Amino acid sequence: MAKSDFYEILGVSKSADEREIKKAYKRLAMKYHPDRNPGDKEAEAKFKEVKEAYEILTDAQKRAAYDQYGHAAFEQGGGGGGFGGGFGGGGADFSDIFGDVFGDIFGGGRRQRASRGADLRYNMELTLEEAVRGVTKEIRIPVLEECDVCHGSGAKAGTQPQTCPTCHGAGQVQMRQGFFTVQQACPTCHGRGSVIKDPCNACHGHGRVERQKTLSVKIPAGVDTGDRIRLSGEGEAGEHGAPAGDLYVQVSVKKHPIFEREDNNLYCEVPINFAMAALGGEIEVPTLDGRVNLKVPAETQTGKLFRMRGKGVKSVRGGAVGDLLCRVVVETPVSLNDKQKALLRELEESFGGPTGEKNSPRSKSFFDGVKKFFDDLTR
Ligand SMILES: [Zn+2]
Ligand SMILES: [Zn+2]
């Protein structure tokens, strides 16, 4: 399949600078992000395409190779660039993509010398009531936190990290790769510019230790399955004093025994007996705020939906409050006693049989239709 031009994908000119590219990427990544387009394969494909274009055009060497050789620069085994495979292969999973977009869009996107702590994800199950009204929950999570003993430096008390002998503190070294001279993270110090001679005993030189942390998480009213709440800086501590990652609380709402939520509307099913359906009456129906009375008009058919305005959910994203939709279902009576059976037979006779025209117009027209169908077949 022919690939689209990376500049076209991002909607920028060939001379666009990094700022313009970044801006275009942010806009498109937000638009096509899988979280905003659940189940939409096209958006997912678009998202990957945008991400790939962004990754290449913001990397000076890759961009140069692309400008010179086009897509051929990145094809496996071929082309001139020597950057085989590695990106755009579709192997990126969503947690990756997620980290990237949000790291970039919300985190400022500056590259740190020491590596920023990992983002964490916590799956939180809520009841429908909690999700609709909001709730504060305590959670316990295992996290890597900055080591108290060395304050994150990783060096033993009284010692300091030493300047790296390989890169002399620059954190980067020059390497030749194919046509290009590539700036790479120093292999000795992994880009930090310093090495630890005497590691801290408590953290073995990592600058971080694992701990259980209790956090109080405020869940705003109106969240739904699939929503995430970001707690900035509550993820893993960074190595050697680098900034911590973020914690994402992933919400999923448990199945409710009565209500089902769809967007901001709530649905529930209310069984009524057929005497009530025929004669009408008033029933009590549940809402999340308690019971309300619902007038069932005479001659209500099974499956009829009654809408109660404003008894649904107010979305966490704002907007109008949804409705409660009650579907009445006519329940056929069971465990009838002899007297009830006799009454029903009497009633049936009064209908003039099972397809009595006057009392059951739908049965009548259905069986008339069936009769015509068979008549046409045998003609
Ligand atoms: Zn330590
Ligand atoms: Zn070094």
Side-chain angles (χ1 to χ4, degrees), residues 239 334 370:
E239 261 184 272
V334 296
V370 170

Side-chain angles (χ1 to χ4, degrees), residues 147-155 199-209:
C147 171
D148 292 340
V149 179
C150 62
H151 304 288
S153 78
C200 162
N201 289 330
C203 63
H204 310 290
H206 296 294
R208 305 183 291 181
V209 286

Side-chain angles (χ1 to χ4, degrees), residues 1-3 52 69-87:
M1 202 181 73
K3 287 183 94 166
E52 184 188 5
Y69 303 104
H71 289 293
F74 309 110
E75 266 150 31
Q76 288 273 25
F83 299 100
F87 40 84

